[in-house]
Amino acid sequence: MEIVLLGTGAATPTLHRRPTSTAVILNGEISLFDCGEGTQLQLLKAKLRPGKLARIFISHLHGDHFNGLIGLLTSLQLGGREKVLHLYGPEGTKDYLAFMQNLTGFRFDYILAVSEFDGAAEEIIWEFDACTVTARPLQHRIFTAGFRFEEKPGLGKFDSEKAAKLGIPPGPLRSHLQNGKSIELPDGRRIEPVEVVGPPRPGKKVAICLDTQPCENAVKLARDVDLLIHEGTFEHARVKLAGETGHSTVVQAAEIAKNAGVQRLIITHISARYREEEAVALAEQACAVFTRAVIGRDLMRIVV
Amino acid sequence: MEIVLLGTGAATPTLHRRPTSTAVILNGEISLFDCGEGTQLQLLKAKLRPGKLARIFISHLHGDHFNGLIGLLTSLQLGGREKVLHLYGPEGTKDYLAFMQNLTGFRFDYILAVSEFDGAAEEIIWEFDACTVTARPLQHRIFTAGFRFEEKPGLGKFDSEKAAKLGIPPGPLRSHLQNGKSIELPDGRRIEPVEVVGPPRPGKKVAICLDTQPCENAVKLARDVDLLIHEGTFEHARVKLAGETGHSTVVQAAEIAKNAGVQRLIITHISARYREEEAVALAEQACAVFTRAVIGRDLMRIVV
């Protein structure tokens, strides 16, 4: 699984931090989390082909998280997209798309399958071929969802040596076992998968939590993930401002990472008030709490 | 007067051509024409301070001409803008802003003075301190306005030598004459401005015509301007496609420039189908009709 940070800025973009967007690439298929202004160009810069886009999740309807949506959807149409695109967004997403289509007279020839969600359910799980995505409400000024992206467990390792010893011929019988089905050999012996197949390889897990104050649901989403992407809009001296604006400091992001037992933390949604070189000081604050923390940069790629 | 091309692309942005936006800078004050996605970043790249923005004109409500508006307006608010911002856009502009504010819960503390216009009037003229802006309907798939930006004529040249000969003392009497008022000298002689002040210096003139098929109103707007910025979405071999989509070819743009007697032509709104290096071939086509034509580039600055 590969993650590309397309935009690591906050409400006001800067020349080195674009508005929020994160691409998660699994089996060549892109899941996009948030779509700030200019995301379509960041995809181009990252050499991520828009045709590989399978689904888009919008965390909340603040402009810096979705102002790039309509441009991206339009460019997909102009690029000749035919296959369905799934869009998951808060209540209001459908209204927004209907309003914009009416205003501009734009038509989509591909199917844009929009699913809205709200804070009514404590947890929503969407299941796809190769992954599941879980959403939980975070704590921001308006309804905002955090996400957990889980690769489905892989097939267990097949023990060819043991299979040979048991007299299982190469071919379909071995495939059956690999896929979790028991078989019967010509001599009548019954073989269970567990005899020749190791435990399923756990899938990689990523959590994406922004915008939010520190909250229990961020910890739940991030529990034991390989990578947590959490907002840290401010340095810790501005913890009061962070609270007032529904954001976290870099130290609070690190505390969430620590409490959730994550492998690595990337802090994003960095306020425009910090110059590029100030990221070092922000990282130092976070690392004092959780050592495997880094401050995200636009177009940073992470393999998990 | 200075013009900066912030975006010279068409419907689909590319890495070398952003969506449409043009800044006209006069006396340090910015007038913005169209505001495609990412315009606020292009302003930053061009080192044009958003605080200098006085007014924005939107030609038509296709996304590539206004998708960057809401992000720019929001960033002005977050940047602490206090002074009024004037926005001129087609019918629907107010609805759009109201819808977006309601959707995102965003509030503007500065006054956003929105004026809508439609195709009912053949010509609309807005008068400002240092310039006038004229709009006329162009010929596109939806209502679209072209613009003519005229610097007001400057004061005529004061002939100090002649004034001395006539015995006009330096000071307020000379200022009166310079400002077009006649004076009486202590000896009773009456002096008219025309005796010591040359004719008013003509203001510079720029016309901005996109998106449009070749049309009479584009010629009227561009009549005798110092600089015409006209769309030329396609090479001339695609003249049929240009007609079908309500656009012009580079050759048609050059013909408008020739018919209007303009000084210089910059062709913009170049389709994403053309690679960067193909601009040379496009320029050759245009220059065969009108020699002082160039293909615009993002962040190109032109002094007129």
Side-chain angles (χ1 to χ4, degrees), chain A residues 11-15 18 37-38 40-41 45 61-62 67-68 70 78 104, chain B residues 11-15 18 37-38 40-41 45 61-62 67-68 70 78 99 104:
Chain A
T12 308
T14 68
L15 288 180
R18 301 301 151 99
E37 185 177 354
Q40 58 173 326
L41 277 162
K45 281 190 204 163
L61 293 179
H62 276 161
N67 275 345
I70 201 76
L78 295 172
T104 65
Chain B
T12 308
T14 69
L15 288 180
R18 300 302 149 98
E37 185 176 354
Q40 58 173 325
L41 277 163
K45 282 192 205 162
L61 293 178
H62 276 160
N67 276 344
I70 200 76
L78 296 170
F99 181 88
T104 66

PDB file of all heavy atoms in Angstrom, chain A residues 11-15 18 37-38 40-41 45 61-62 67-68 70 78 104, chain B residues 11-15 18 37-38 40-41 45 61-62 67-68 70 78 99 104:
ATOM      1  N   ALA A  11      -6.450  25.850   6.168  1.00  0.00           N
ATOM      2  CA  ALA A  11      -7.485  26.634   5.488  1.00  0.00           C
ATOM      3  C   ALA A  11      -6.931  27.509   4.362  1.00  0.00           C
ATOM      4  O   ALA A  11      -7.532  27.623   3.304  1.00  0.00           O
ATOM      5  CB  ALA A  11      -8.227  27.492   6.509  1.00  0.00           C
ATOM      6  N   THR A  12      -5.781  28.135   4.594  1.00  0.00           N
ATOM      7  CA  THR A  12      -5.194  28.999   3.571  1.00  0.00           C
ATOM      8  C   THR A  12      -4.006  28.285   2.929  1.00  0.00           C
ATOM      9  O   THR A  12      -3.042  27.968   3.608  1.00  0.00           O
ATOM     10  CB  THR A  12      -4.681  30.317   4.204  1.00  0.00           C
ATOM     11  OG1 THR A  12      -5.741  30.884   4.968  1.00  0.00           O
ATOM     12  CG2 THR A  12      -4.257  31.304   3.142  1.00  0.00           C
ATOM     13  N   PRO A  13      -4.066  28.032   1.644  1.00  0.00           N
ATOM     14  CA  PRO A  13      -2.936  27.342   1.005  1.00  0.00           C
ATOM     15  C   PRO A  13      -1.726  28.270   0.888  1.00  0.00           C
ATOM     16  O   PRO A  13      -1.865  29.493   0.896  1.00  0.00           O
ATOM     17  CB  PRO A  13      -3.463  27.004  -0.379  1.00  0.00           C
ATOM     18  CG  PRO A  13      -4.552  27.980  -0.640  1.00  0.00           C
ATOM     19  CD  PRO A  13      -5.139  28.334   0.690  1.00  0.00           C
ATOM     20  N   THR A  14      -0.556  27.670   0.805  1.00  0.00           N
ATOM     21  CA  THR A  14       0.664  28.441   0.583  1.00  0.00           C
ATOM     22  C   THR A  14       1.385  27.810  -0.608  1.00  0.00           C
ATOM     23  O   THR A  14       0.953  26.770  -1.116  1.00  0.00           O
ATOM     24  CB  THR A  14       1.598  28.378   1.803  1.00  0.00           C
ATOM     25  OG1 THR A  14       2.102  27.042   1.922  1.00  0.00           O
ATOM     26  CG2 THR A  14       0.866  28.751   3.086  1.00  0.00           C
ATOM     27  N   LEU A  15       2.482  28.410  -1.002  1.00  0.00           N
ATOM     28  CA  LEU A  15       3.198  27.859  -2.152  1.00  0.00           C
ATOM     29  C   LEU A  15       3.808  26.498  -1.838  1.00  0.00           C
ATOM     30  O   LEU A  15       4.075  25.718  -2.739  1.00  0.00           O
ATOM     31  CB  LEU A  15       4.279  28.837  -2.624  1.00  0.00           C
ATOM     32  CG  LEU A  15       3.729  30.084  -3.326  1.00  0.00           C
ATOM     33  CD1 LEU A  15       4.848  30.996  -3.764  1.00  0.00           C
ATOM     34  CD2 LEU A  15       2.857  29.695  -4.519  1.00  0.00           C
ATOM     35  N   ARG A  18      -0.383  22.817  -0.224  1.00  0.00           N
ATOM     36  CA  ARG A  18      -1.685  22.922  -0.881  1.00  0.00           C
ATOM     37  C   ARG A  18      -2.792  22.465   0.069  1.00  0.00           C
ATOM     38  O   ARG A  18      -2.514  21.801   1.066  1.00  0.00           O
ATOM     39  CB  ARG A  18      -1.710  22.042  -2.150  1.00  0.00           C
ATOM     40  CG  ARG A  18      -0.651  22.409  -3.155  1.00  0.00           C
ATOM     41  CD  ARG A  18      -0.824  23.854  -3.587  1.00  0.00           C
ATOM     42  NE  ARG A  18       0.458  24.447  -3.960  1.00  0.00           N
ATOM     43  CZ  ARG A  18       0.894  24.590  -5.196  1.00  0.00           C
ATOM     44  NH1 ARG A  18       0.183  24.159  -6.201  1.00  0.00           N
ATOM     45  NH2 ARG A  18       2.051  25.173  -5.452  1.00  0.00           N
ATOM     46  N   GLU A  37      -8.827  22.512  -3.073  1.00  0.00           N
ATOM     47  CA  GLU A  37      -8.589  23.211  -4.341  1.00  0.00           C
ATOM     48  C   GLU A  37      -7.232  22.807  -4.940  1.00  0.00           C
ATOM     49  O   GLU A  37      -6.210  22.847  -4.265  1.00  0.00           O
ATOM     50  CB  GLU A  37      -8.626  24.731  -4.097  1.00  0.00           C
ATOM     51  CG  GLU A  37      -8.516  25.553  -5.368  1.00  0.00           C
ATOM     52  CD  GLU A  37      -8.631  27.058  -5.099  1.00  0.00           C
ATOM     53  OE1 GLU A  37      -8.910  27.460  -3.962  1.00  0.00           O
ATOM     54  OE2 GLU A  37      -8.441  27.832  -6.064  1.00  0.00           O
ATOM     55  N   GLY A  38      -7.249  22.432  -6.199  1.00  0.00           N
ATOM     56  CA  GLY A  38      -6.008  22.090  -6.891  1.00  0.00           C
ATOM     57  C   GLY A  38      -5.612  20.626  -6.786  1.00  0.00           C
ATOM     58  O   GLY A  38      -4.556  20.234  -7.289  1.00  0.00           O
ATOM     59  N   GLN A  40      -6.641  18.077  -8.394  1.00  0.00           N
ATOM     60  CA  GLN A  40      -6.433  17.439  -9.702  1.00  0.00           C
ATOM     61  C   GLN A  40      -5.021  17.693 -10.235  1.00  0.00           C
ATOM     62  O   GLN A  40      -4.429  16.834 -10.878  1.00  0.00           O
ATOM     63  CB  GLN A  40      -7.504  17.844 -10.704  1.00  0.00           C
ATOM     64  CG  GLN A  40      -7.618  19.325 -10.973  1.00  0.00           C
ATOM     65  CD  GLN A  40      -8.601  19.605 -12.120  1.00  0.00           C
ATOM     66  OE1 GLN A  40      -8.712  18.834 -13.063  1.00  0.00           O
ATOM     67  NE2 GLN A  40      -9.312  20.711 -12.041  1.00  0.00           N
ATOM     68  N   LEU A  41      -4.479  18.874  -9.936  1.00  0.00           N
ATOM     69  CA  LEU A  41      -3.116  19.152 -10.385  1.00  0.00           C
ATOM     70  C   LEU A  41      -2.091  18.418  -9.529  1.00  0.00           C
ATOM     71  O   LEU A  41      -1.051  17.984 -10.030  1.00  0.00           O
ATOM     72  CB  LEU A  41      -2.852  20.657 -10.348  1.00  0.00           C
ATOM     73  CG  LEU A  41      -3.360  21.372 -11.599  1.00  0.00           C
ATOM     74  CD1 LEU A  41      -3.480  22.855 -11.354  1.00  0.00           C
ATOM     75  CD2 LEU A  41      -2.459  21.079 -12.787  1.00  0.00           C
ATOM     76  N   LYS A  45       0.903  16.039 -10.696  1.00  0.00           N
ATOM     77  CA  LYS A  45       2.295  16.190 -10.246  1.00  0.00           C
ATOM     78  C   LYS A  45       2.819  14.892  -9.655  1.00  0.00           C
ATOM     79  O   LYS A  45       3.993  14.559  -9.805  1.00  0.00           O
ATOM     80  CB  LYS A  45       2.384  17.283  -9.174  1.00  0.00           C
ATOM     81  CG  LYS A  45       2.372  18.679  -9.743  1.00  0.00           C
ATOM     82  CD  LYS A  45       2.715  19.676  -8.641  1.00  0.00           C
ATOM     83  CE  LYS A  45       2.173  21.041  -8.971  1.00  0.00           C
ATOM     84  NZ  LYS A  45       2.119  21.921  -7.808  1.00  0.00           N
ATOM     85  N   LEU A  61     -17.552  19.425   5.092  1.00  0.00           N
ATOM     86  CA  LEU A  61     -17.798  20.422   4.052  1.00  0.00           C
ATOM     87  C   LEU A  61     -17.239  21.800   4.425  1.00  0.00           C
ATOM     88  O   LEU A  61     -17.947  22.797   4.385  1.00  0.00           O
ATOM     89  CB  LEU A  61     -19.302  20.486   3.737  1.00  0.00           C
ATOM     90  CG  LEU A  61     -19.842  19.208   3.076  1.00  0.00           C
ATOM     91  CD1 LEU A  61     -21.334  19.309   2.818  1.00  0.00           C
ATOM     92  CD2 LEU A  61     -19.106  18.873   1.789  1.00  0.00           C
ATOM     93  N   HIS A  62     -15.966  21.842   4.765  1.00  0.00           N
ATOM     94  CA  HIS A  62     -15.247  23.103   4.799  1.00  0.00           C
ATOM     95  C   HIS A  62     -14.445  23.170   3.496  1.00  0.00           C
ATOM     96  O   HIS A  62     -13.881  22.167   3.055  1.00  0.00           O
ATOM     97  CB  HIS A  62     -14.310  23.182   6.020  1.00  0.00           C
ATOM     98  CG  HIS A  62     -15.015  23.636   7.273  1.00  0.00           C
ATOM     99  ND1 HIS A  62     -14.521  23.434   8.534  1.00  0.00           N
ATOM    100  CD2 HIS A  62     -16.201  24.305   7.435  1.00  0.00           C
ATOM    101  CE1 HIS A  62     -15.357  23.956   9.427  1.00  0.00           C
ATOM    102  NE2 HIS A  62     -16.376  24.476   8.791  1.00  0.00           N
ATOM    103  N   ASN A  67     -13.065  21.984  -2.058  1.00  0.00           N
ATOM    104  CA  ASN A  67     -13.175  22.965  -3.152  1.00  0.00           C
ATOM    105  C   ASN A  67     -12.591  22.463  -4.472  1.00  0.00           C
ATOM    106  O   ASN A  67     -12.849  23.045  -5.521  1.00  0.00           O
ATOM    107  CB  ASN A  67     -12.505  24.294  -2.770  1.00  0.00           C
ATOM    108  CG  ASN A  67     -13.443  25.198  -1.977  1.00  0.00           C
ATOM    109  OD1 ASN A  67     -14.651  24.975  -1.942  1.00  0.00           O
ATOM    110  ND2 ASN A  67     -12.888  26.208  -1.329  1.00  0.00           N
ATOM    111  N   GLY A  68     -11.804  21.415  -4.427  1.00  0.00           N
ATOM    112  CA  GLY A  68     -11.242  20.886  -5.670  1.00  0.00           C
ATOM    113  C   GLY A  68     -12.064  19.770  -6.284  1.00  0.00           C
ATOM    114  O   GLY A  68     -11.723  19.241  -7.338  1.00  0.00           O
ATOM    115  N   ILE A  70     -15.251  19.635  -7.580  1.00  0.00           N
ATOM    116  CA  ILE A  70     -16.018  19.836  -8.813  1.00  0.00           C
ATOM    117  C   ILE A  70     -15.087  19.895 -10.027  1.00  0.00           C
ATOM    118  O   ILE A  70     -15.406  19.364 -11.097  1.00  0.00           O
ATOM    119  CB  ILE A  70     -16.937  21.081  -8.691  1.00  0.00           C
ATOM    120  CG1 ILE A  70     -18.069  21.006  -9.706  1.00  0.00           C
ATOM    121  CG2 ILE A  70     -16.168  22.387  -8.803  1.00  0.00           C
ATOM    122  CD1 ILE A  70     -19.154  20.036  -9.341  1.00  0.00           C
ATOM    123  N   LEU A  78     -14.325  15.215 -18.901  1.00  0.00           N
ATOM    124  CA  LEU A  78     -13.690  15.703 -20.128  1.00  0.00           C
ATOM    125  C   LEU A  78     -12.608  14.738 -20.603  1.00  0.00           C
ATOM    126  O   LEU A  78     -12.290  14.676 -21.785  1.00  0.00           O
ATOM    127  CB  LEU A  78     -13.099  17.098 -19.901  1.00  0.00           C
ATOM    128  CG  LEU A  78     -14.142  18.187 -19.604  1.00  0.00           C
ATOM    129  CD1 LEU A  78     -13.464  19.480 -19.193  1.00  0.00           C
ATOM    130  CD2 LEU A  78     -15.037  18.433 -20.816  1.00  0.00           C
ATOM    131  N   THR A 104     -23.892  25.410 -13.729  1.00  0.00           N
ATOM    132  CA  THR A 104     -22.935  25.445 -14.844  1.00  0.00           C
ATOM    133  C   THR A 104     -23.441  24.671 -16.062  1.00  0.00           C
ATOM    134  O   THR A 104     -22.803  24.709 -17.107  1.00  0.00           O
ATOM    135  CB  THR A 104     -21.577  24.837 -14.427  1.00  0.00           C
ATOM    136  OG1 THR A 104     -21.773  23.445 -14.148  1.00  0.00           O
ATOM    137  CG2 THR A 104     -21.033  25.524 -13.182  1.00  0.00           C
TER     138      THR A 104
ATOM    139  N   ALA B  11     -10.588  24.101 -20.320  1.00  0.00           N
ATOM    140  CA  ALA B  11     -11.435  23.400 -19.353  1.00  0.00           C
ATOM    141  C   ALA B  11     -10.645  22.463 -18.435  1.00  0.00           C
ATOM    142  O   ALA B  11     -10.919  22.383 -17.245  1.00  0.00           O
ATOM    143  CB  ALA B  11     -12.518  22.627 -20.094  1.00  0.00           C
ATOM    144  N   THR B  12      -9.676  21.752 -18.997  1.00  0.00           N
ATOM    145  CA  THR B  12      -8.882  20.828 -18.187  1.00  0.00           C
ATOM    146  C   THR B  12      -7.504  21.434 -17.942  1.00  0.00           C
ATOM    147  O   THR B  12      -6.765  21.679 -18.888  1.00  0.00           O
ATOM    148  CB  THR B  12      -8.693  19.488 -18.927  1.00  0.00           C
ATOM    149  OG1 THR B  12      -9.979  19.013 -19.343  1.00  0.00           O
ATOM    150  CG2 THR B  12      -8.047  18.452 -18.030  1.00  0.00           C
ATOM    151  N   PRO B  13      -7.153  21.678 -16.696  1.00  0.00           N
ATOM    152  CA  PRO B  13      -5.832  22.258 -16.437  1.00  0.00           C
ATOM    153  C   PRO B  13      -4.726  21.237 -16.683  1.00  0.00           C
ATOM    154  O   PRO B  13      -4.952  20.031 -16.639  1.00  0.00           O
ATOM    155  CB  PRO B  13      -5.891  22.635 -14.964  1.00  0.00           C
ATOM    156  CG  PRO B  13      -6.927  21.743 -14.366  1.00  0.00           C
ATOM    157  CD  PRO B  13      -7.917  21.450 -15.454  1.00  0.00           C
ATOM    158  N   THR B  14      -3.545  21.727 -16.966  1.00  0.00           N
ATOM    159  CA  THR B  14      -2.378  20.869 -17.103  1.00  0.00           C
ATOM    160  C   THR B  14      -1.295  21.422 -16.193  1.00  0.00           C
ATOM    161  O   THR B  14      -1.470  22.480 -15.586  1.00  0.00           O
ATOM    162  CB  THR B  14      -1.854  20.866 -18.554  1.00  0.00           C
ATOM    163  OG1 THR B  14      -1.290  22.160 -18.835  1.00  0.00           O
ATOM    164  CG2 THR B  14      -2.950  20.573 -19.554  1.00  0.00           C
ATOM    165  N   LEU B  15      -0.169  20.727 -16.132  1.00  0.00           N
ATOM    166  CA  LEU B  15       0.902  21.200 -15.254  1.00  0.00           C
ATOM    167  C   LEU B  15       1.492  22.520 -15.758  1.00  0.00           C
ATOM    168  O   LEU B  15       2.069  23.264 -14.980  1.00  0.00           O
ATOM    169  CB  LEU B  15       1.992  20.136 -15.115  1.00  0.00           C
ATOM    170  CG  LEU B  15       1.567  18.933 -14.268  1.00  0.00           C
ATOM    171  CD1 LEU B  15       2.691  17.925 -14.178  1.00  0.00           C
ATOM    172  CD2 LEU B  15       1.138  19.376 -12.875  1.00  0.00           C
ATOM    173  N   ARG B  18      -2.668  26.546 -16.088  1.00  0.00           N
ATOM    174  CA  ARG B  18      -3.723  26.540 -15.074  1.00  0.00           C
ATOM    175  C   ARG B  18      -5.019  27.087 -15.677  1.00  0.00           C
ATOM    176  O   ARG B  18      -4.992  27.747 -16.715  1.00  0.00           O
ATOM    177  CB  ARG B  18      -3.294  27.403 -13.876  1.00  0.00           C
ATOM    178  CG  ARG B  18      -2.007  26.925 -13.208  1.00  0.00           C
ATOM    179  CD  ARG B  18      -2.167  25.508 -12.736  1.00  0.00           C
ATOM    180  NE  ARG B  18      -0.892  24.792 -12.774  1.00  0.00           N
ATOM    181  CZ  ARG B  18      -0.105  24.614 -11.717  1.00  0.00           C
ATOM    182  NH1 ARG B  18      -0.453  25.080 -10.553  1.00  0.00           N
ATOM    183  NH2 ARG B  18       1.015  23.942 -11.831  1.00  0.00           N
ATOM    184  N   GLU B  37      -9.813  27.507 -10.851  1.00  0.00           N
ATOM    185  CA  GLU B  37      -9.266  26.772  -9.697  1.00  0.00           C
ATOM    186  C   GLU B  37      -7.768  27.059  -9.537  1.00  0.00           C
ATOM    187  O   GLU B  37      -6.999  26.954 -10.498  1.00  0.00           O
ATOM    188  CB  GLU B  37      -9.499  25.272  -9.910  1.00  0.00           C
ATOM    189  CG  GLU B  37      -9.070  24.426  -8.717  1.00  0.00           C
ATOM    190  CD  GLU B  37      -9.389  22.943  -8.909  1.00  0.00           C
ATOM    191  OE1 GLU B  37     -10.035  22.574  -9.908  1.00  0.00           O
ATOM    192  OE2 GLU B  37      -8.996  22.147  -8.039  1.00  0.00           O
ATOM    193  N   GLY B  38      -7.376  27.419  -8.349  1.00  0.00           N
ATOM    194  CA  GLY B  38      -5.957  27.645  -8.070  1.00  0.00           C
ATOM    195  C   GLY B  38      -5.492  29.073  -8.299  1.00  0.00           C
ATOM    196  O   GLY B  38      -4.302  29.367  -8.145  1.00  0.00           O
ATOM    197  N   GLN B  40      -5.775  31.679  -6.485  1.00  0.00           N
ATOM    198  CA  GLN B  40      -5.134  32.288  -5.309  1.00  0.00           C
ATOM    199  C   GLN B  40      -3.656  31.902  -5.213  1.00  0.00           C
ATOM    200  O   GLN B  40      -2.820  32.708  -4.794  1.00  0.00           O
ATOM    201  CB  GLN B  40      -5.885  31.951  -4.020  1.00  0.00           C
ATOM    202  CG  GLN B  40      -6.029  30.486  -3.713  1.00  0.00           C
ATOM    203  CD  GLN B  40      -6.648  30.273  -2.317  1.00  0.00           C
ATOM    204  OE1 GLN B  40      -6.395  31.030  -1.391  1.00  0.00           O
ATOM    205  NE2 GLN B  40      -7.452  29.237  -2.177  1.00  0.00           N
ATOM    206  N   LEU B  41      -3.315  30.706  -5.647  1.00  0.00           N
ATOM    207  CA  LEU B  41      -1.912  30.303  -5.633  1.00  0.00           C
ATOM    208  C   LEU B  41      -1.131  30.964  -6.761  1.00  0.00           C
ATOM    209  O   LEU B  41       0.048  31.296  -6.601  1.00  0.00           O
ATOM    210  CB  LEU B  41      -1.797  28.785  -5.732  1.00  0.00           C
ATOM    211  CG  LEU B  41      -1.977  28.100  -4.380  1.00  0.00           C
ATOM    212  CD1 LEU B  41      -2.270  26.634  -4.565  1.00  0.00           C
ATOM    213  CD2 LEU B  41      -0.738  28.298  -3.512  1.00  0.00           C
ATOM    214  N   LYS B  45       2.254  33.075  -6.574  1.00  0.00           N
ATOM    215  CA  LYS B  45       3.424  32.814  -7.421  1.00  0.00           C
ATOM    216  C   LYS B  45       3.848  34.074  -8.165  1.00  0.00           C
ATOM    217  O   LYS B  45       5.034  34.311  -8.372  1.00  0.00           O
ATOM    218  CB  LYS B  45       3.096  31.722  -8.458  1.00  0.00           C
ATOM    219  CG  LYS B  45       3.129  30.323  -7.892  1.00  0.00           C
ATOM    220  CD  LYS B  45       3.091  29.314  -9.027  1.00  0.00           C
ATOM    221  CE  LYS B  45       2.529  27.998  -8.535  1.00  0.00           C
ATOM    222  NZ  LYS B  45       2.066  27.141  -9.631  1.00  0.00           N
ATOM    223  N   LEU B  61     -20.307  31.398 -16.069  1.00  0.00           N
ATOM    224  CA  LEU B  61     -20.311  30.407 -14.988  1.00  0.00           C
ATOM    225  C   LEU B  61     -19.994  28.998 -15.488  1.00  0.00           C
ATOM    226  O   LEU B  61     -20.743  28.052 -15.230  1.00  0.00           O
ATOM    227  CB  LEU B  61     -21.644  30.467 -14.229  1.00  0.00           C
ATOM    228  CG  LEU B  61     -21.852  31.783 -13.454  1.00  0.00           C
ATOM    229  CD1 LEU B  61     -23.215  31.799 -12.758  1.00  0.00           C
ATOM    230  CD2 LEU B  61     -20.738  32.031 -12.439  1.00  0.00           C
ATOM    231  N   HIS B  62     -18.894  28.864 -16.185  1.00  0.00           N
ATOM    232  CA  HIS B  62     -18.321  27.539 -16.420  1.00  0.00           C
ATOM    233  C   HIS B  62     -17.177  27.395 -15.412  1.00  0.00           C
ATOM    234  O   HIS B  62     -16.420  28.350 -15.171  1.00  0.00           O
ATOM    235  CB  HIS B  62     -17.806  27.394 -17.857  1.00  0.00           C
ATOM    236  CG  HIS B  62     -18.890  27.019 -18.834  1.00  0.00           C
ATOM    237  ND1 HIS B  62     -18.774  27.215 -20.196  1.00  0.00           N
ATOM    238  CD2 HIS B  62     -20.113  26.447 -18.630  1.00  0.00           C
ATOM    239  CE1 HIS B  62     -19.879  26.771 -20.784  1.00  0.00           C
ATOM    240  NE2 HIS B  62     -20.707  26.314 -19.864  1.00  0.00           N
ATOM    241  N   ASN B  67     -14.109  28.385 -10.555  1.00  0.00           N
ATOM    242  CA  ASN B  67     -13.965  27.410  -9.461  1.00  0.00           C
ATOM    243  C   ASN B  67     -12.972  27.837  -8.378  1.00  0.00           C
ATOM    244  O   ASN B  67     -12.969  27.272  -7.293  1.00  0.00           O
ATOM    245  CB  ASN B  67     -13.554  26.032 -10.006  1.00  0.00           C
ATOM    246  CG  ASN B  67     -14.752  25.217 -10.484  1.00  0.00           C
ATOM    247  OD1 ASN B  67     -15.898  25.532 -10.154  1.00  0.00           O
ATOM    248  ND2 ASN B  67     -14.502  24.180 -11.261  1.00  0.00           N
ATOM    249  N   GLY B  68     -12.143  28.826  -8.672  1.00  0.00           N
ATOM    250  CA  GLY B  68     -11.191  29.288  -7.664  1.00  0.00           C
ATOM    251  C   GLY B  68     -11.712  30.459  -6.844  1.00  0.00           C
ATOM    252  O   GLY B  68     -11.022  30.940  -5.938  1.00  0.00           O
ATOM    253  N   ILE B  70     -14.328  30.840  -4.662  1.00  0.00           N
ATOM    254  CA  ILE B  70     -14.707  30.693  -3.253  1.00  0.00           C
ATOM    255  C   ILE B  70     -13.457  30.538  -2.372  1.00  0.00           C
ATOM    256  O   ILE B  70     -13.399  31.080  -1.267  1.00  0.00           O
ATOM    257  CB  ILE B  70     -15.720  29.528  -3.076  1.00  0.00           C
ATOM    258  CG1 ILE B  70     -16.474  29.690  -1.760  1.00  0.00           C
ATOM    259  CG2 ILE B  70     -15.084  28.166  -3.180  1.00  0.00           C
ATOM    260  CD1 ILE B  70     -17.539  30.753  -1.802  1.00  0.00           C
ATOM    261  N   LEU B  78      -9.703  35.020   5.801  1.00  0.00           N
ATOM    262  CA  LEU B  78      -8.767  34.472   6.785  1.00  0.00           C
ATOM    263  C   LEU B  78      -7.523  35.338   6.895  1.00  0.00           C
ATOM    264  O   LEU B  78      -6.864  35.368   7.938  1.00  0.00           O
ATOM    265  CB  LEU B  78      -8.385  33.031   6.411  1.00  0.00           C
ATOM    266  CG  LEU B  78      -9.561  32.041   6.454  1.00  0.00           C
ATOM    267  CD1 LEU B  78      -9.153  30.703   5.850  1.00  0.00           C
ATOM    268  CD2 LEU B  78     -10.062  31.834   7.879  1.00  0.00           C
ATOM    269  N   PHE B  99     -25.341  29.940  -1.618  1.00  0.00           N
ATOM    270  CA  PHE B  99     -25.374  28.487  -1.428  1.00  0.00           C
ATOM    271  C   PHE B  99     -24.109  28.012  -0.720  1.00  0.00           C
ATOM    272  O   PHE B  99     -24.159  27.222   0.226  1.00  0.00           O
ATOM    273  CB  PHE B  99     -25.521  27.786  -2.784  1.00  0.00           C
ATOM    274  CG  PHE B  99     -25.596  26.285  -2.662  1.00  0.00           C
ATOM    275  CD1 PHE B  99     -26.807  25.648  -2.476  1.00  0.00           C
ATOM    276  CD2 PHE B  99     -24.430  25.515  -2.701  1.00  0.00           C
ATOM    277  CE1 PHE B  99     -26.872  24.264  -2.324  1.00  0.00           C
ATOM    278  CE2 PHE B  99     -24.487  24.136  -2.552  1.00  0.00           C
ATOM    279  CZ  PHE B  99     -25.706  23.513  -2.369  1.00  0.00           C
ATOM    280  N   THR B 104     -21.182  25.709   3.866  1.00  0.00           N
ATOM    281  CA  THR B 104     -19.948  25.578   4.645  1.00  0.00           C
ATOM    282  C   THR B 104     -19.996  26.367   5.945  1.00  0.00           C
ATOM    283  O   THR B 104     -19.084  26.268   6.762  1.00  0.00           O
ATOM    284  CB  THR B 104     -18.729  26.082   3.826  1.00  0.00           C
ATOM    285  OG1 THR B 104     -18.879  27.487   3.610  1.00  0.00           O
ATOM    286  CG2 THR B 104     -18.632  25.381   2.489  1.00  0.00           C
TER     287      THR B 104
END
